[in-house]
């Protein structure tokens, strides 16, 4: 079993829809949770970063962490064609020993069509 | 600001040849990571440097892979001899260690071994 599970999709939605992307994980020691967006033929770019449980909002994007269920989500409101990309969740135990090793999900490919 | 710079962007070579991938991290960052991304295995950490010293190379697949960081502004990942199963996109990322600093990725080198 992988430490981080993420449905690879693809997920296709119409413009303006609310998108929900999810990851589950098995390691209860994870404390830092991230969402990266990766456009085709580009490197991943950090989209959202949260520590421990709770919600974080940034414009059209909301990240949620439920540590009791070992489940994280990314919501995209009013989705746009420019949101079409692969979304990777990532998490880490923290910086114990000065090292923040990230474990990535497989990525979910999202297509927003006009 | 200049991001992480990788070269070459694309590399096609024949099996058995030596391949060298290059990375220039963001100025001032003291941690550097090499990742490999494939459809089958997703994004995997190969090696991590802190202050130019390799700290964790447990992800390096085998002795054919080696990485160096001779100074704070340059790193190489070498494969010798290369094999078709090494075909993947190789990413370099850098960060400033400590606190909640995220990793910043380059745009990757797309490697094809024939």
């Amino acid at each position: 079993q992988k430490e981080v599970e993420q449905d690879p999709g693809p997920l296709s939605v119409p413009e303006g829809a609310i998108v929900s992307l999810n990851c589950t994980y098995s390691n209860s020691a994870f404390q830092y949770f991230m969402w990266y967006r990766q456009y085709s033929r580009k490197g991943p770019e950090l989209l959202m970063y949260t520590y421990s449980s709770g919600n974080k909002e940034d414009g059209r994007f909301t990240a949620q962490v439920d540590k009791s269920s070992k489940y994280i989500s990314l919501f995209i409101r009013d989705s746009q064609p420019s949101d079409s990309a692969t979304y990777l969740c990532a998490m880490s135990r923290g910086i114990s020993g000065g090292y923040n090793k990230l474990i990535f999900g497989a990525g979910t490919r999202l297509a927003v069509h006009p | 600001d200049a991001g992480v710079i990788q070269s070459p962007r694309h590399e096609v070579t024949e099996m058995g040849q030596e391949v060298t991938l290059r990375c220039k991290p963001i100025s001032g960052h003291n941690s550097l990571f090499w990742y490999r991304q494939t459809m089958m295995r997703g994004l995997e950490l190969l090696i991590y440097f802190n202050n130019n010293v390799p700290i964790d190379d447990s992800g390096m697949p085998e002795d054919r892979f080696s990485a160096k960081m001779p100074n704070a502004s340059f790193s190489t990942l070498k494969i010798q001899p290369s094999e078709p199963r090494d075909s993947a996109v190789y990413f370099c990322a850098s960060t400033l260690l400590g606190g909640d600093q995220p990793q910043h990725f380059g745009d990757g080198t797309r490697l094809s071994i024939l």
Side-chain angles (χ1 to χ4, degrees):
Chain A
Q1 182 189 7
K2 293 182 180 178
E3 278 192 285
V4 178
E5 298 279 358
Q6 183 177 10
D7 187 338
L11 184 62
S12 180
V13 301
E15 184 176 355
I18 297 175
V19 176
S20 172
L21 305 168
N22 312 292
C23 287
T24 59
Y25 62 95
S26 57
N27 190 340
S28 58
F30 287 142
Q31 296 188 74
Y32 294 85
F33 303 91
M34 284 139 277
W35 286 95
Y36 280 82
R37 178 175 60 196
Q38 185 176 18
Y39 290 115
S40 179
R41 299 187 178 271
K42 303 289 275 186
E45 57 176 328
L46 183 69
L47 198 58
M48 298 287 283
Y49 187 105
T50 54
Y51 171 70
S52 195
S53 285
N55 294 359
K56 185 173 184 178
E57 188 172 320
D58 184 2
R60 297 185 295 110
F61 299 90
T62 300
Q64 287 186 352
V65 175
D66 182 348
K67 290 188 72 179
S68 62
S69 302
K70 298 191 181 68
Y71 188 87
I72 70 170
S73 301
L74 177 71
F75 297 95
I76 307 174
R77 290 183 299 281
D78 187 25
S79 56
Q80 302 295 309
S82 58
D83 296 327
S84 299
T86 296
Y87 290 79
L88 301 109
C89 63
M91 46 199 79
S92 72
R93 290 191 289 267
I95 56 171
S96 173
Y99 178 21
N100 198 12
K101 181 174 183 175
L102 295 182
I103 307 298
F104 284 86
T108 299
R109 197 156 47 131
L110 171 68
V112 181
H113 51 86
Chain B
D1 289 342
V4 175
I5 299 171
Q6 292 186 245
S7 64
R9 289 297 313 276
H10 304 274
E11 176 88 10
V12 180
T13 192
E14 293 188 347
M15 181 175 65
Q17 297 298 306
E18 178 179 289
V19 174
T20 300
L21 311 180
R22 297 172 176 81
C23 175
K24 177 179 169 56
I26 292 173
S27 177
H29 283 185
N30 61 0
S31 296
L32 184 140
F33 306 79
W34 282 101
Y35 288 88
R36 179 172 65 177
Q37 187 176 41
T38 62
M39 290 292 291
M40 289 292 294
R41 301 175 67 92
L43 199 58
E44 301 175 285
L45 178 68
L46 299 177
I47 188 168
Y48 156 63
F49 290 88
N50 182 235
N51 291 324
N52 313 337
V53 176
I55 303 298
D56 181 0
D57 65 355
S58 59
M60 295 287 263
E62 48 198 276
D63 291 346
R64 297 184 297 104
F65 285 70
S66 62
K68 293 183 180 179
M69 192 164 186
N71 57 61
S73 59
F74 183 67
S75 177
T76 60
L77 178 68
K78 189 171 291 188
I79 308 173
Q80 168 61 22
S82 57
E83 296 183 4
R85 61 195 169 112
D86 302 330
S87 298
V89 183
Y90 291 81
F91 288 101
C92 175
S94 71
T95 188
L96 184 61
L97 190 65
D100 59 355
Q101 299 302 313
Q103 295 180 22
H104 296 268
F105 284 75
D107 284 337
T109 295
R110 187 171 296 271
L111 178 63
S112 296
I113 308 297
L114 306 177

